[in-house]
Amino acid sequence: MLQDLRDSNSSKFQVSEFILMGFPGIHSWQHWLSLPLALLYLLALSTNILILIIIYQEATLHQPMYHFLGILAVVDMGLTTTIMPKILAILWFSAKAISLPECFVQMYVIHCFVGMESGIFVCMAIDRYVAICRPLHYPSIITESFVVKSTVFMALRNSLSTTLVPVLAAQRHYCSQNQIEHCLCSNLGVTSLSCDDRTINSIYQLVLAWTLMGSDLGVIVLSYALILHSVLKLNSAEAASKALSTCTSHLILILFFYTVIIVISITHTAAMTVPLVPVLLNVLHNVIPPALNPMVYALKNKELRQGFYKVLKLNIKDNNA
């Protein structure tokens, strides 16, 4: 009877905070990762701010495609700022504790920003499809109104659809373990500590991934398949090359973004013997694309390069298309 009473008291106990342990398996030297992560964070902030300044100052860049790029820059800065300060605090100051409400808020914001980035990639793919496959209709279809409406739709879609992720996680009972082998509050990492059944959390995470990311990826693949089909019908090799060059930067970023998501999903469900892999991929996925996006676009886009030279007051001639 005394044992039953102890079990009952233990089941009613609710932890008040989680402990983010950092990178599993390398706790003794994980602080060395703080330098490259801090540099990536600073690079993400500086390059995305620079992109916003260039787009704002250059009148020639006040076009839908660059508006989407500016929105992507804001989303990237929001995503990295959601996770990097806490990660650096863990690595530098061992500030591993995080309250349950803060953890659930971080979980929600991460899902929102990742979904928003996916949605912006869809908008950019549609923009390129209309520009290349329906050039005569581009001014009437891809308008300022289209940019505003599509952005608002994506923001509402992601903010509403991901609400249940932290809500369902908060419904779980955390009565014993509170140490998370992660640097951030991932849904699966947090709910794995619950003392009750978390099947509904896993199911909703899977449904969310397939409905949001799956549908976005489907639209993107269809858009670029139609673009490729249209370009291959062009008689001019130069025109085809120019058309494809405008999409190359998009494809590089999109392939990296979705490939890492797929790898993370596989490593989580495959019960990895090296838990460091999904954790490291998860962190890098939230910081590398924000750092690389502006550089890839700047390297592949003549107008952005020229704007970059003007902002930095560099007198450089750019003859590349």
Side-chain angles (χ1 to χ4, degrees):
M1 181 175 179
L2 181 60
Q3 182 64 37
D4 292 340
L5 182 59
R6 287 176 179 172
D7 293 340
S8 177
N9 289 334
S10 175
S11 65
K12 292 178 182 178
F13 178 72
Q14 175 81 357
V15 301
S16 60
E17 63 182 16
F18 292 123
I19 306 298
L20 295 170
M21 300 301 294
F23 296 96
I26 59 170
H27 294 156
S28 60
W29 59 271
Q30 64 181 357
H31 58 277
W32 291 107
L33 294 176
S34 63
L35 180 59
L37 289 177
L39 291 175
L40 280 173
Y41 180 44
L42 291 176
L43 182 64
L45 290 181
S46 58
T47 53
N48 281 292
I49 289 173
L50 185 59
I51 285 288
L52 290 174
I53 293 173
I54 293 171
I55 293 174
Y56 176 77
Q57 290 189 353
E58 290 298 309
T60 56
L61 300 182
H62 295 174
Q63 304 174 30
M65 181 178 72
Y66 298 105
H67 291 328
F68 284 129
L69 184 56
I71 296 167
L72 182 63
V74 173
V75 171
D76 282 341
M77 288 191 291
L79 178 59
T80 55
T81 303
T82 299
I83 66 167
M84 284 310 301
K86 183 60 180 177
I87 292 177
L88 294 178
I90 293 171
L91 299 180
W92 285 339
F93 311 112
S94 292
K96 301 177 180 180
I98 183 171
S99 68
L100 269 65
E102 288 175 334
C103 189
F104 297 139
V105 168
Q106 187 191 64
M107 184 190 300
Y108 172 70
V109 175
I110 290 172
H111 277 80
C112 277
F113 277 129
V114 171
M116 189 68 187
E117 184 157 359
S118 177
I120 295 301
F121 280 140
V122 171
C123 295
M124 296 174 80
I126 294 173
D127 173 89
R128 291 300 83 200
Y129 163 74
V130 178
I132 295 173
C133 300
R134 300 288 186 271
L136 298 179
H137 297 92
Y138 184 84
S140 61
I141 297 176
I142 309 298
T143 61
E144 299 287 337
S145 176
F146 174 82
V147 175
V148 173
K149 290 178 181 178
S150 57
T151 303
V152 170
F153 171 77
M154 289 299 174
L156 289 174
R157 182 197 72 165
N158 295 303
S159 61
L160 294 176
S161 62
T162 56
T163 302
L164 275 180
V165 174
V167 169
L168 289 173
Q171 296 300 312
R172 303 281 68 79
H173 189 68
Y174 304 94
C175 60
S176 54
Q177 294 293 327
N178 70 337
Q179 294 185 351
I180 304 174
E181 289 292 336
H182 213 306
C183 297
L184 50 89
C185 290
S186 68
N187 182 30
L188 297 178
V190 171
T191 55
S192 65
L193 302 180
S194 66
C195 302
D196 50 0
D197 185 33
R198 62 179 188 273
T199 303
I200 184 64
N201 300 76
S202 301
I203 292 176
Y204 188 73
Q205 182 80 16
L206 185 63
V207 170
L208 194 65
W210 278 104
T211 54
L212 287 188
M213 299 296 179
S215 60
D216 286 352
L217 183 58
V219 172
I220 291 170
V221 169
L222 177 61
S223 297
Y224 283 103
L226 293 173
I227 288 172
L228 182 61
H229 180 262
S230 178
V231 166
L232 291 177
K233 293 194 299 184
L234 295 175
N235 295 325
S236 172
E238 182 180 353
S241 177
K242 187 174 182 180
L244 285 176
S245 68
T246 63
C247 300
T248 305
S249 55
H250 298 196
L251 286 172
I252 292 172
L253 301 176
I254 288 168
L255 287 174
F256 180 83
F257 180 82
Y258 288 104
T259 299
V260 175
I261 288 180
I262 293 171
V263 172
I264 291 173
S265 300
I266 292 174
T267 54
H268 266 301
T269 56
M272 291 289 293
T273 56
V274 185
L276 173 65
V277 174
V279 173
L280 188 59
L281 281 175
N282 203 343
V283 172
L284 293 179
H285 178 255
N286 291 326
V287 68
I288 287 182
L292 292 184
N293 286 350
M295 292 189 292
V296 172
Y297 278 105
L299 288 173
K300 297 297 297 182
N301 190 282
K302 182 179 179 180
E303 288 76 14
L304 275 178
R305 286 198 303 271
Q306 292 175 340
F308 174 78
Y309 298 150
K310 287 182 180 180
V311 168
L312 297 184
K313 302 186 184 306
L314 299 175
N315 188 19
I316 299 175
K317 291 184 178 180
D318 191 345
N319 297 320
N320 296 327

